[in-house]
Amino acid sequence: MDPSLEAQSRNIQARTFCKWLNTKLETNDYSPMNSLYELCDGVKLIQLMEIMGDVSLGRYNRNPRMRVQKAENVNKALDFINSRGVKLTNIGPEDIVDGNMKLILGMIWTLILRFTIADISEEGLSAKEGLLLWCQRKTEPYDEVNVQDFTFSWKDGLALCALIHRHRPDLIDFHSLNKTDRHGNTQLAFDVAEQHLGIPQLLEVADLCDVEKPDERSVMTYVASYFHAFSSMGMGHDTHNGGGSANKSTLLDQAETVSRRVEKFAELMQSVWLSKNDYEQRMRKLLAAIHSTLGTWSETDFTIPMSPNPTAPSSSSTPSRSGPLQTYYALKDHAADFAQYKQTTKRGWVQEKSDLAMLYSNIQTKLKTYGLREYIPPDGLTPTDMTMEWSRLLYAEAQRFRAINAQIRDIKEVLRHKYATIANDLERSLRDITTEISALDGPLEDQQIAIKSIESRLSPLRDVLTRLETADEECRSANIEENDYTIFTREDLQFEYTLVESAVIKKLKFIDNQIVSRNMSNLTPAQLEQFESTFRYFDRDETNTLTLAELTAALASLGIVYSDEDMATIHDELVRAYGALTFEAFINLMVDITEDQMSSDQLRDAFRGISNDKPFVTELDLKLAMLPPVAIDYLKSTMPKVTVNGTGPNGEAALAYDFETWLDGVFV
């Protein structure tokens, strides 16, 4: 609060409280105070406590001069206040003796509340709230008056005039007042109240009309005098106006009491009617919502039709929302909707059901309190009806929950069977092919026909593998992690298929090569074996063909070296003749070369030229001969290894290769 406004409010309080205390002192023939500082020696404070408490506080210092005597007096008064249950905080005898006006005003306000305002009661409200409600009820018929507080509502004097007119219409003609004359109306109320009602003028006109905000405590203290004055009017009469006015006031009070009684009963019945209406509307709405949900659930069919053959081929390798998986997705949607219902709609219903039970109980309690008949809701809206409908809801929830879960379990079982059937059949087919390959025997042409027949069965199995992958994706989409109907995983069968496919291709190439080799009657078996192993070694991509680079390396490993131009010419001629440099083309090339250059003596001379007439060659010799790295690796892996002294870079023993022994083993 602004310091100047706080000081102004404190001055008004000091003046008002002093006048209020003086009314107590003068009534009991004590001299009045000129200011509240006269309380500092404790004498006036003790006198006031004796008046308010209607008791004697015993002996005290009536003419204290010393501080300790004043403190004793004040302490006696404060002890009495505390004994009456009035709690004073943050104030001691020294505060009053020292003239701490802020604390003194707080103490007096506490006394006013305790002895003047606390006993005010109106419609169950007491003290400040009760006094405010009393003022509002008394001034309600006056359009120009709107009492909302104990500050601004009293600045024009009309509220004071209305209180007087309501109880003593003979004292003030309210309707003839100049409503804009704030000072005049306030002074009129002060004068009439003091002269005709015995209410002392505790305030000045300026305290209400000339301040920004009237002091609330001062206004309450003054207005409380009106309440007490009018409350006691029925027990006596105004000495200035005779008994007629008092009787008139008494009749007004009686009429007001009767009206208020009827008004309260009407308000009670209206409140009960509103509560009943609210209960019935909300109960009807809740029951209708539950009934609608139960109807919707009863029409739901979870057994969505599925494909009659869950292992039938699919046109797509990716899982689609069809067949069992469609059913699974639909059921999961139902499960999600049900969970959402439980978290939202159902919780709202639980809260509303609880609120309705409380509302019903409150209605019955209110009726019983006032001795009124018990409330019986219409048929279908009773708490019993709600209990029965709620039981049906709980049963339907349990049924729906179990049905959804059972269907989900069934769908997962269907998907497990579907995958297991495909997986087991595929594994059996792959196993049969492996067995057939292992059992191949007889003439090469018959084996060739058989292996080509087996090869023709691989393409349909690739389609089966695709269906298996789709079935596996469906199981994963349905969160299926285990399958007791098969031990074969998708990865297992993909690996086995790859092995079988590779085995068929290799077997077919092997048989083809054997047929070619058999027809080469002008080569020895050892030569055929050497040429075949050389071809297989350099056919790194297992296509049964050689590239130009692979052919060059293969020939070099056999000690046959041509220029790049010659190699290109040889390669092109073979491709034109055979379509590709196949095993047959390679063998025929080797026949031509062998007849020309591949005698044992020729090769020995070639190796001796590379080794400088040594009976062995080193890796360095092979590299100096410009053989390709792959040819060198091949020769190192096939020729016998020996350790020869003095062949290392520094004359030490080093590893060498015995070409003589190797050629002896190759040629007859």
Side-chain angles (χ1 to χ4, degrees):
M1 180 183 291
D2 185 277
S4 61
L5 295 178
E6 184 177 4
Q8 181 186 61
S9 179
R10 188 177 300 170
N11 290 335
I12 294 174
Q13 279 188 28
R15 189 170 59 253
T16 303
F17 291 175
C18 186
K19 290 182 179 180
W20 181 79
L21 293 175
N22 282 338
T23 61
K24 306 294 183 184
L25 293 171
E26 291 174 345
T27 302
N28 289 271
D29 298 327
Y30 288 112
S31 60
M33 298 184 293
N34 293 318
S35 74
L36 293 179
Y37 288 109
E38 294 186 32
L39 295 173
C40 295
D41 61 4
V43 176
K44 293 294 184 184
L45 190 57
I46 290 177
Q47 293 172 355
L48 287 167
M49 293 304 99
E50 289 181 336
I51 295 170
M52 293 180 185
D54 194 24
V55 295
S56 172
L57 298 189
R59 298 181 61 181
Y60 59 91
N61 294 299
R62 298 181 182 275
N63 190 23
R65 298 183 181 277
M66 300 173 62
R67 178 181 176 84
V68 66
Q69 294 174 325
K70 297 177 182 180
E72 289 176 354
N73 286 347
V74 173
N75 194 58
K76 180 183 285 288
L78 295 180
D79 287 343
F80 172 76
I81 293 174
N82 290 327
S83 69
R84 289 302 181 98
V86 180
K87 187 176 182 180
L88 298 175
T89 57
N90 299 325
I91 186 170
E94 65 280 359
D95 297 313
I96 298 177
V97 172
D98 292 338
N100 188 325
M101 188 52 61
K102 182 177 180 180
L103 295 180
I104 292 174
L105 290 173
M107 177 190 68
I108 298 174
W109 174 242
T110 303
L111 295 175
I112 293 173
L113 286 176
R114 171 63 178 83
F115 293 102
T116 301
I117 298 178
D119 59 347
I120 296 176
S121 177
E122 182 75 10
E123 295 295 323
L125 299 177
S126 59
K128 177 181 177 180
E129 290 76 14
L131 181 60
L132 182 61
L133 180 60
W134 178 80
C135 294
Q136 291 171 339
R137 285 190 172 278
K138 295 300 182 181
T139 60
E140 185 177 3
Y142 302 89
D143 295 337
E144 299 87 347
V145 179
N146 182 21
V147 177
Q148 296 297 326
D149 49 45
F150 288 107
T151 54
F152 300 106
S153 299
W154 306 87
K155 291 190 66 173
D156 57 6
L158 291 178
L160 294 173
C161 291
L163 287 176
I164 296 173
H165 182 267
R166 181 65 185 273
H167 295 86
R168 292 291 303 274
D170 56 309
L171 297 180
I172 291 180
D173 184 1
F174 184 85
H175 302 293
S176 65
L177 294 176
N178 181 359
K179 305 305 188 294
T180 62
D181 185 6
R182 299 185 300 115
H183 293 77
N185 295 333
T186 302
Q187 188 61 62
L188 175 62
F190 286 168
D191 293 341
V192 171
E194 186 169 32
Q195 296 171 15
H196 299 279
L197 301 175
I199 299 174
Q201 183 179 333
L202 304 181
L203 298 170
E204 301 296 332
V205 173
D207 296 339
L208 295 179
C209 301
D210 297 339
V211 294
E212 179 179 346
K213 179 182 179 182
D215 179 65
E216 182 181 58
R217 293 181 175 182
S218 299
V219 174
M220 284 182 63
T221 302
Y222 182 62
V223 174
S225 301
Y226 280 67
F227 176 86
H228 290 293
F230 293 132
S231 296
S232 62
M233 281 183 60
M235 301 177 62
H237 59 275
D238 190 319
T239 57
H240 297 278
N241 292 282
S245 297
N247 293 334
K248 191 174 188 180
S249 176
T250 301
L251 292 174
L252 286 172
D253 285 346
Q254 291 175 350
E256 182 180 347
T257 301
V258 171
S259 298
R260 189 181 303 170
R261 185 176 297 125
V262 173
E263 178 186 355
K264 286 181 62 177
F265 184 74
E267 290 176 351
L268 170 65
M269 296 306 294
Q270 183 182 23
S271 171
V272 171
W273 180 86
L274 290 174
S275 296
K276 289 180 181 179
N277 189 57
D278 184 37
Y279 169 83
E280 293 173 9
Q281 288 183 353
R282 291 166 60 184
M283 178 66 80
R284 188 176 290 109
K285 182 178 179 181
L286 178 56
L287 290 173
I290 294 174
H291 184 73
S292 174
T293 298
L294 292 177
T296 301
W297 286 354
S298 66
E299 297 171 358
T300 304
D301 182 13
F302 296 124
T303 57
I304 301 175
M306 298 184 295
S307 171
N309 182 9
T311 62
S314 171
S315 60
S316 173
S317 61
T318 58
S320 62
R321 289 192 172 225
S322 60
L325 194 58
Q326 177 194 34
T327 308
Y328 173 80
Y329 285 138
L331 288 169
K332 291 299 288 184
D333 289 341
H334 281 300
D337 292 342
F338 186 71
Q340 181 69 12
Y341 151 80
K342 293 275 288 182
Q343 295 173 3
T344 55
T345 304
K346 175 66 180 299
R347 292 182 182 180
W349 289 354
V350 171
Q351 181 63 54
E352 181 68 355
K353 177 174 175 288
S354 175
D355 292 345
L356 285 171
M358 181 64 69
L359 178 58
Y360 177 81
S361 175
N362 290 344
I363 293 173
Q364 301 294 26
T365 299
K366 183 178 289 187
L367 292 174
K368 187 175 181 180
T369 300
Y370 290 95
L372 301 176
R373 292 181 182 276
E374 178 185 2
Y375 167 56
I376 300 177
D379 291 342
L381 301 180
T382 65
T384 301
D385 295 324
M386 170 54 70
T387 300
M388 295 174 60
E389 192 70 5
W390 197 260
S391 297
R392 285 193 289 271
L393 175 65
L394 295 179
Y395 177 78
E397 286 179 349
Q399 290 291 98
R400 186 175 184 82
F401 184 72
R402 286 194 290 267
I404 292 174
N405 289 339
Q407 284 295 316
I408 289 177
R409 288 193 296 270
D410 291 345
I411 294 304
K412 288 187 174 183
E413 197 71 2
V414 169
L415 293 174
R416 288 190 185 97
H417 275 291
K418 176 181 178 180
Y419 173 85
T421 300
I422 299 174
N424 293 336
D425 290 346
L426 178 58
E427 190 279 333
R428 192 178 303 109
S429 298
L430 294 174
R431 181 159 30 93
D432 290 344
I433 290 177
T434 301
T435 302
E436 291 179 34
I437 293 175
S438 301
L440 284 176
D441 196 8
L444 290 175
E445 285 75 9
D446 293 345
Q447 292 188 41
Q448 187 181 49
I449 294 172
I451 197 67
K452 287 184 177 180
S453 175
I454 292 174
E455 184 182 31
S456 67
R457 288 154 51 191
L458 286 178
S459 180
L461 289 183
R462 163 56 66 183
D463 295 337
V464 174
L465 184 60
T466 299
R467 286 168 43 216
L468 178 76
E469 293 169 350
T470 301
D472 183 62
E473 288 298 328
E474 290 178 342
C475 288
R476 296 187 184 195
S477 297
N479 296 316
I480 298 174
E481 298 180 354
E482 75 292 330
N483 193 334
D484 294 337
Y485 304 110
T486 184
I487 61 172
F488 304 112
T489 67
R490 166 183 175 178
E491 293 75 14
D492 292 339
L493 294 173
Q494 287 173 331
F495 178 72
E496 289 190 26
Y497 177 87
T498 302
L499 290 180
V500 171
E501 185 179 44
S502 176
V504 170
I505 294 173
K506 288 180 179 179
K507 188 66 175 180
L508 182 59
K509 289 191 296 183
F510 177 78
I511 293 173
D512 290 342
N513 293 345
Q514 289 300 307
I515 292 175
V516 171
S517 299
R518 182 194 63 187
N519 295 332
M520 295 298 168
S521 58
N522 50 352
L523 293 177
T524 65
Q527 288 176 317
L528 282 173
E529 176 63 28
Q530 181 187 21
F531 297 156
E532 183 179 355
S533 63
T534 301
F535 183 87
R536 286 199 305 269
Y537 181 83
F538 289 101
D539 181 19
R540 297 295 178 86
D541 54 3
E542 297 185 349
T543 61
N544 208 35
T545 62
L546 296 178
T547 65
L548 174 58
E550 291 171 343
L551 175 62
T552 302
L555 293 177
S557 69
L558 296 172
I560 304 170
V561 180
Y562 291 101
S563 66
D564 292 342
E565 182 178 352
D566 291 340
M567 281 303 308
T569 301
I570 294 171
H571 179 268
D572 292 342
E573 289 177 353
L574 292 174
V575 170
R576 279 196 298 270
Y578 296 94
L581 214 166
T582 62
F583 179 74
E584 182 180 4
F586 179 75
I587 291 297
N588 286 326
L589 174 64
M590 295 310 300
V591 168
D592 294 339
I593 294 175
T594 301
E595 290 176 348
D596 181 39
Q597 322 176 5
M598 293 288 285
S599 67
S600 174
D601 292 337
Q602 289 173 325
L603 285 173
R604 290 180 194 277
D605 289 341
F607 274 105
R608 285 173 183 148
I610 293 174
S611 66
N612 294 321
D613 292 327
K614 296 190 298 291
F616 55 84
V617 293
T618 64
E619 183 177 358
L620 180 61
D621 294 333
L622 296 174
K623 289 181 178 179
L624 292 175
M626 304 301 290
L627 268 67
V630 290
I632 295 174
D633 291 340
Y634 174 72
L635 292 172
K636 287 167 60 180
S637 66
T638 57
M639 291 189 294
K641 300 177 179 62
V642 294
T643 301
V644 181
N645 293 326
T647 58
N650 299 316
E652 73 275 12
L655 189 65
Y657 302 93
D658 185 356
F659 64 85
E660 295 282 359
T661 303
W662 181 58
L663 290 175
D664 288 342
V666 170
F667 290 94
V668 177

